[in-house]
Amino acid sequence: MKIGVVEKPGVLKIADRDVPKVTNPDDVLIKVKRVGICGSDIHIYHGKNPFATYPRVWGHEFVGEVVEIGSVVNGIQKGAHVVVEPIIYCGKCYACRQGRGNICETLKVMGVHIDGGCQEYIVVPAANVHVLPTPLSWDEAVLIEPFTIGAQAVYRGNVLPGDFVLVMGAGTIGLTALQMAKLAGATVIVTDLVPAKLDYAKSRGADFTINAKDEDLTARVREITGGMGPNVTIDAVCIKTSFEQAVEITSAAGRVVELSFNEIKSEIAPVNIIKKELTICGSRLQTKRFPVVIDCLKQGKIPLEGFITKIYPIADMVEAFDFVDKNNASVRKVVISFD
Ligand SMILES: NC(=O)c1ccc[n+]([C@@H]2O[C@H](COP(=O)([O-])OP(=O)(O)OC[C@H]3O[C@@H](n4cnc5c(N)ncnc54)[C@H](O)[C@@H]3O)[C@@H](O)[C@H]2O)c1
Ligand SMILES: [Zn+2]
Ligand SMILES: [Zn+2]
């Protein structure tokens, strides 16, 4: 079978490997149909993901059809269309005991710490598999994982109906946060530097958009929120200054949700946190957000038109990565197809 593997930083290849077998009774074998390329896959390609080890079959956003099931697997039939939750956790550490396997002490993410979904067939634990409702196409289903990231940010920020939410950045993750915040009943303001990205955010339900290059972000946000500031700020720009700005701008009793894996330090005065009793939280991957997103999609609550920029056959995988690299200002999601 074909696999897409980053052999070492900068070297991305299609290679051959034997089809894996179900050896654990609680595993399933999946014929992969689609794999989404995420910013973090690009980082792995370029050797800029601090968690990745090589060689690595990339891909943590993947969907496919179950073709074999282990002897003790219940509730999943051969032929089921599924999305895979790409995290493996111990179930015993403090975070896991809080139901937060996404930040397990020994967390392993498929496609990062262990091999991921860019392979024609993959064996995964049945516990990591969510069966898709029937009308969902592969092209829709492959967007479930990115939407769980936005859903987690909204969950971590405890977005309440009537809240003002500022989503910084209308990239892939910012857009998913926007759509999930709208579903939570918030008024959403989105920033970016690229007009086309803001136009798309508007078409996805953004109530206000601000081009941070041309406008004074703080002044505009204050104006929109009647001087208060947003109650929740979700940082999906993830640079040194965006975190600083988020703390500065968020309202009293507000929440700042930080998504950045950035190792560069931001400068934040403690007084700006305590005077407003801000809650500043990290949001990493997701906990229990797959069923939430799947349910929203099933009910047609998340319009996905235009979210996928381009689909490439597996044979053109390297070209697909280069396309994402060269078109960062316009790409939302590029997907690899195994059909
Ligand atoms: N915590 C997590 O679980 C998690 C998961 C996925 C991605 N991420 C992180 O989220 C970040 C965003 O990911 P993405 O895939 O959406 O990236 P992206 O590049 O698609 O989006 C970033 C967006 O920010 C915009 N931008 C840049 N500078 C800006 C500024 N000063 N003001 C306003 N907008 C600005 C860009 O134009 C772009 O649209 C990345 O840093 C990524 O590592 C975190
Ligand atoms: Zn991703
Ligand atoms: Zn654990």
Side-chain angles (χ1 to χ4, degrees), residues 211-332:
N211 191 323
K213 195 164 53 151
D214 307 330
E215 297 177 78
D216 179 337
L217 176 64
T218 307
R220 270 289 282 142
V221 168
R222 290 259 150 78
E223 186 190 327
I224 292 164
T225 59
M228 169 177 67
N231 312 111
V232 181
T233 302
I234 296 173
D235 179 12
V237 167
C238 302
I239 56 177
K240 175 184 183 289
T241 49
S242 57
F243 185 27
E244 292 163 358
Q245 235 169 357
V247 169
E248 195 69 40
I249 213 166
T250 304
S251 79
R255 286 81 71 198
V256 172
V257 182
E258 189 48 58
L259 284 154
S260 182
F261 286 99
N262 205 338
E263 288 177 318
I264 297 166
K265 291 180 178 134
S266 298
E267 288 167 51
I268 290 165
V271 65
N272 286 342
I273 301 171
I274 67 107
K275 74 180 175 197
K276 299 188 281 188
E277 277 202 341
L278 291 182
T279 301
I280 299 180
C281 61
S283 181
R284 184 174 184 193
L285 306 165
Q286 57 74 43
T287 24
K288 305 186 181 74
R289 297 302 105 189
F290 273 84
V292 174
V293 171
I294 290 170
D295 194 50
C296 289
L297 283 172
K298 188 175 158 188
Q299 295 182 47
K301 288 182 176 170
I302 308 179
L304 297 172
E305 297 80 36
F307 208 99
I308 293 182
T309 310
K310 215 164 169 180
I311 301 175
Y312 285 86
I314 179 64
D316 298 336
M317 177 191 70
V318 176
E319 199 185 311
F321 271 68
D322 287 342
F323 177 80
V324 177
D325 255 348
K326 291 192 185 110
N327 297 281
N328 193 40
S330 58
V331 164
R332 275 185 281 279

Side-chain angles (χ1 to χ4, degrees), residues 69-87:
I69 53 173
S71 57
V72 301
V73 173
N74 269 323
I76 302 169
Q77 315 295 331
K78 273 192 202 176
H81 290 195
V82 296
V83 59
V84 177
E85 192 165 336
I87 55 176

Side-chain angles (χ1 to χ4, degrees), residues 38 60-61 145:
C38 179
H60 58 272
E61 306 173 2
E145 197 277 348

Side-chain angles (χ1 to χ4, degrees), residues 181-237:
K182 283 307 297 173
L183 286 177
T187 298
V188 184
I189 309 163
V190 179
T191 69
D192 206 281
L193 307 175
V194 181
K197 294 209 172 195
L198 292 171
D199 289 344
Y200 186 73
K202 201 122 217 190
S203 79
R204 299 298 87 178
D207 298 282
F208 301 92
T209 57
I210 301 173
N211 191 323
K213 195 164 53 151
D214 307 330
E215 297 177 78
D216 179 337
L217 176 64
T218 307
R220 270 289 282 142
V221 168
R222 290 259 150 78
E223 186 190 327
I224 292 164
T225 59
M228 169 177 67
N231 312 111
V232 181
T233 302
I234 296 173
D235 179 12
V237 167

